[in-house]
Amino acid sequence: MRDLTSDGITPAVISTMRETKDPRLAEILGSLVRHLHDFVRDVELTEDEWAAGVDFLTRTGHTCTPTRQEFILLSDVLGVTMLVDALGNRRPAKATQNSVLGPYFREDRPRHADGADISGGLPGTPLFFEGEVVDRDGAPVPAAAVDVWHSDADGHYDMEVSGRTGPAMRALLRTDESGHFGFRSIRPSSYPIPGDGPVGELMSATDRSLMRPAHVHLLIEAPGFQRVTTMLFPADDPYLDTDPVFGVKESLVEPYETYAADAGPCHGLTEVPYTLLRRTFVLEPLPAG
Ligand code: BEZ
Ligand code: FE
């Protein structure tokens, strides 16, 4: 292994890993070295560019804290998060599709009873959510755990609302015997992904928008079924086609129906116009074995 050329260095590096015990690790590392070297050759990476890349990744690491994961955000904006999900969760079109989890899920969310108001008293257009969880044959899935979380009318999650510490606009619910669940909250708004770190620099250098379309997140789990990590977007949102994290799927776009206070299925429950969001979620069984 001497006098390696710019082509010969690739098999040389891979051959140093030939004793790797775990065959999957060997496959991943071999492919990583091949693609990384091909990339460097392809763009003829200069020393200054290599140093800039190392600095970018170093600062990405330094931006991470117990509550902020800049590497996952980088994965999100490079499409890697949704690509890994697409490969790992190939579901029939009728089943509810996944989207990104995002950084705003909190373990310390309150359990709420069916139909509860989870808004925490925050101002906004009232939102009524009526959900149903079924299996691929349309049979109800009772006692499914349903996590919901969303932003407020200004696009802030509870931890970002100034002066507020407790959870709001998030809940752990459970489906009833007929597979239904529901809650009341306020209508979420579109918001920018965090742009004050290295990922923000990358987005601005590539002239990309930080704005995510408005959405309600849901995470649904039931024994014997694949977990669904998803979100529902309003059909009239202006950012549907420029989502910086590539999480929008046509099947997750819903009409957020808007009614006057005295009209529609929830008439009389509010004194102001409200939004009604209704959705059936179809779970896939876990693979046999
Ligand atoms: C979110 O929808 O909460 C989100 C997802 C990915 C990156 C940032 C935010
Ligand atoms: Fe979100």
Side-chain angles (χ1 to χ4, degrees):
M1 275 210 305
R2 296 187 186 179
D3 301 323
L4 293 168
T5 64
S6 62
D7 284 328
I9 193 166
T10 304
V13 172
I14 291 170
S15 75
T16 62
M17 300 190 278
R18 61 184 170 272
E19 302 298 333
T20 306
K21 302 275 177 306
D22 179 340
R24 177 65 176 157
L25 181 62
E27 181 185 6
I28 289 173
L29 290 176
S31 179
L32 177 69
V33 169
R34 254 193 326 278
H35 284 89
L36 198 53
H37 285 202
D38 280 347
F39 155 71
V40 170
R41 280 184 287 261
D42 184 31
V43 301
E44 297 210 21
L45 201 69
T46 67
E47 287 174 71
D48 285 351
E49 290 161 347
W50 173 85
V54 169
D55 177 58
F56 177 84
L57 292 175
T58 304
R59 289 185 297 109
T60 299
H62 287 160
T63 306
C64 294
T65 69
T67 55
R68 176 165 180 176
Q69 232 302 354
E70 193 78 355
F71 274 115
I72 295 184
L73 190 61
L74 181 60
S75 161
D76 294 342
V77 302
L78 293 179
V80 177
T81 309
M82 285 305 291
L83 176 56
V84 171
D85 180 72
L87 298 174
N89 296 291
R90 292 185 171 97
R91 294 189 184 135
K94 264 183 62 182
T96 301
Q97 305 296 311
N98 274 0
S99 186
V100 283
L101 175 69
Y104 298 113
F105 174 78
R106 279 167 69 162
E107 290 288 347
D108 65 339
R109 72 284 197 211
R111 285 168 187 271
H112 273 295
D114 195 31
D117 182 349
I118 68 165
S119 69
L122 291 166
T125 301
L127 169 77
F128 293 93
F129 193 111
E130 292 176 6
E132 181 188 19
V133 182
V134 300
D135 67 15
R136 55 159 71 159
D137 301 318
V141 178
V146 181
D147 262 294
V148 300
W149 68 105
H150 64 83
S151 70
D152 70 5
D154 296 323
H156 296 130
Y157 284 85
D158 50 7
M159 62 279 262
E160 302 167 325
V161 175
S162 69
R164 188 179 181 97
T165 46
M169 305 173 293
R170 65 179 70 244
L172 174 57
L173 306 160
R174 224 163 250 292
T175 56
D176 62 17
E177 279 308 302
S178 65
H180 288 88
F181 69 96
F183 63 92
R184 176 182 171 160
S185 193
I186 52 171
R187 190 178 163 135
S189 196
S190 51
Y191 63 85
I193 60 169
D196 59 347
V199 170
E201 284 170 33
L202 184 148
M203 297 299 280
S204 107
T206 51
D207 203 14
R208 286 171 60 185
S209 164
L210 297 173
M211 292 301 290
R212 292 218 68 207
H215 52 271
V216 174
H217 291 266
L218 297 111
L219 197 159
I220 304 176
E221 288 182 293
F225 293 96
Q226 295 175 27
R227 180 172 56 205
V228 169
T229 305
T230 194
M231 55 184 75
L232 299 174
F233 305 93
D236 59 355
D237 195 286
Y239 300 108
L240 287 175
D241 293 316
T242 52
D243 182 14
V245 300
F246 308 99
V248 178
K249 293 175 176 172
E250 191 60 40
S251 64
L252 302 179
V253 176
E254 285 286 350
Y256 278 44
E257 302 164 29
T258 302
Y259 295 99
D262 59 358
C266 304
H267 64 87
L269 295 181
T270 69
E271 288 168 4
V272 293
Y274 66 89
T275 294
L276 175 59
L277 181 49
R278 297 185 266 205
R279 172 76 184 206
T280 298
F281 300 87
V282 182
L283 304 190
E284 276 294 289
L286 284 173

